[in-house]
DNA sequence: AAGTAACTTGGCATGCGCTGCCACTTTAGC
DNA sequence: GCTAAAGTGGCAGCGCATGCCAAGTTACTT
């Protein structure tokens, strides 16, 4: 694994500024709703110029969802670090359960953000984009482990869509029910549903 | 089924205007790329005021993808009209193959638009939204046919995610290979992959 | 057939999102 | 310390998107 690089003052300042902007966005948007918060306000709360905001984030949606993006980056790293001899589905399943753990840890924050995402079309769109990125990561990993090319063989893409969709569905169900159930258990159940095949459903 | 209502002059004019705006958007965006086309230009080409554009579409992306939205509306209608005694998966599969037929009919146009969507972040986002709508329609249909509630039982959502993901993957593969293969066949193969279960994949 | 109500359209004004550009300050490496 | 590189802030500008109101058009009623 890559050893931690010694961050200079510059890098630490940048990370700090980024975090302050993201936190300002979180607070303001959580309290007032995203359409009632301007980038100017977020920048003022983070004590930077509006122009600086755009050096760190493309939009206020990006800033608000940066936590989520970080979680998915962690997932991606975990997936890449699974043992090479592990089967594709096993690796993905393990990494997805790890992601579910992360969501469970930040339970309240995830729940709160999910409600705001559901109410805002713009946030919903960005959220879909993050999910598509996740799906792409999974497809890449599966193709690598199956020793096939994504361009030639569509099976990895199909499996990735199904698996990431299962996560999405489990997450949606978890959020809709106020996060009362155990998320990793839900995700595991959703994945089991796929593993067993869908043939049993839908016959009259 | 609902009988066709007799459209008055007003309604016909509105449909015509909508079509003209969409066609103007198609031509201009196809030729120059979406980021080099302004709404003002689209409105001028359609011979309406810029203000009027926004009475028909929320954005130029919406106008450009209105064909696609119509196709998905057709799919939704076809899915709802499947026989009530048909199994959930069978109904969805049949409707999806019908959608694949529609794509195949407009092969060149679909292919051209898909390339533009892949190149434009904004278009990609809107396209993801359309896919999410499709997935929701499928989840509703499956829940109805399984006689369960989406809020209580997450299985319909999981299955819908997998199935619509299969379509998406097949479509992506079809486009990536220049639409040389038969799309309904591809979609069928992707669905078969899910029906059989994923257990066979991923073991080392 | 005339009049009225409802609807569509166009133009105006406005606010916000986002980007390019340049000058100023701060950090890094020699 | 000196120079090069990088981060920051302010400015100007374009395009998107919406509210509002006046003018023109269609639909319905008597």
């Amino acid at each position: 694994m890559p050893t931690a690089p010694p961050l200079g003052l510059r890098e630490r300042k940048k990370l700090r500024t980024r975090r302050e902007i993201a936190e300002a966005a979180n607070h303001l948007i959580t309290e007032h709703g995203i359409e009632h918060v301007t980038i100017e306000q977020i920048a003022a709360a983070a004590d930077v110029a509006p122009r600086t905001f755009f050096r760190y984030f493309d939009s206020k949606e990006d800033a608000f969802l940066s936590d989520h993006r970080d979680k998915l980056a962690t997932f991606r790293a975990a997936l890449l670090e699974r043992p090479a001899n592990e089967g594709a589905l096993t690796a993905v399943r393990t990494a997805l359960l790890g992601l579910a753990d992360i969501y469970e840890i930040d339970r309240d924050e995830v729940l709160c953000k999910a409600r705001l995402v559901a109410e805002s079309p713009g946030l919903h769109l960005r959220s879909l984009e993050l999910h598509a990125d996740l799906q792409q990561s999974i497809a890449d990993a599966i193709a690598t482990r199956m020793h096939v090319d994504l361009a030639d063989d569509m099976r990895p893409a199909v499996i990735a869509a199904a698996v990431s969709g299962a996560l999405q569905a489990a997450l949606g169900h978890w959020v809709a029910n106020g996060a009362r159930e155990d998320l990793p258990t839900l995700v595991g159940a959703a994945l089991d549903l796929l593993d067993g095949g869908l043939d049993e459903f839908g016959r009259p």
Side-chain angles (χ1 to χ4, degrees), chain A residues 9 30 45 67 69 79 95 98 127 149 153 156 159 166 177 180 190 193:
Chain A
L9 175 57
T30 299
D67 294 345
R69 186 180 293 276
L79 179 54
S127 172
D149 190 335
D153 192 334
I159 299 171
N177 288 75
R180 282 193 299 271
L193 212 57

Side-chain angles (χ1 to χ4, degrees), chain A residues 136-152:
Chain A
Q136 186 61 49
S137 302
I138 295 175
D140 289 339
I142 292 179
T144 300
R145 283 186 143 81
M146 283 176 67
H147 306 289
V148 300
D149 190 335
L150 269 178
D152 302 329

Side-chain angles (χ1 to χ4, degrees), chain A residues 66-79 94-111 134 167 171 174 182-184 187:
Chain A
S66 73
D67 294 345
H68 194 231
R69 186 180 293 276
D70 292 343
K71 286 182 174 60
L72 296 184
T74 302
F75 163 82
R76 180 168 207 151
L79 179 54
T94 306
L96 278 178
L97 291 176
L99 178 58
D101 283 334
I102 295 177
Y103 282 131
E104 190 82 63
I105 289 173
D106 292 340
R107 182 183 171 282
D108 293 344
E109 178 200 346
V110 170
L111 204 55
L134 171 76
L167 170 74
L171 200 50
W174 183 70
D182 182 62
L183 181 58
V187 171

Side-chain angles (χ1 to χ4, degrees), chain A residues 89 162 189-203:
Chain A
L89 271 184
L191 292 175
D192 289 341
L193 212 57
L194 296 176
D195 285 347
L198 306 182
D199 256 336
E200 53 184 312
F201 298 99
R203 307 308 170 184

Side-chain angles (χ1 to χ4, degrees), chain A residues 11-71:
Chain A
E11 312 295 325
R12 280 181 281 135
K13 260 193 171 178
K14 275 172 64 178
L15 285 179
R16 205 169 60 93
T17 303
R18 181 182 180 87
R19 223 200 41 204
E20 285 173 350
I21 295 176
E23 285 185 3
N26 277 337
H27 290 144
L28 288 173
I29 292 175
T30 299
E31 183 160 3
H32 303 107
I34 193 164
E35 57 261 13
H36 297 114
V37 175
T38 68
I39 289 179
E40 200 176 356
Q41 293 171 331
I42 296 174
D47 205 43
V48 295
R51 186 64 184 86
T52 301
F53 175 92
F54 288 106
R55 299 188 198 280
Y56 287 91
F57 298 102
D58 287 341
S59 61
K60 51 187 177 184
E61 286 84 3
D62 259 16
F64 184 69
L65 293 176
S66 73
D67 294 345
H68 194 231
R69 186 180 293 276
D70 292 343
K71 286 182 174 60

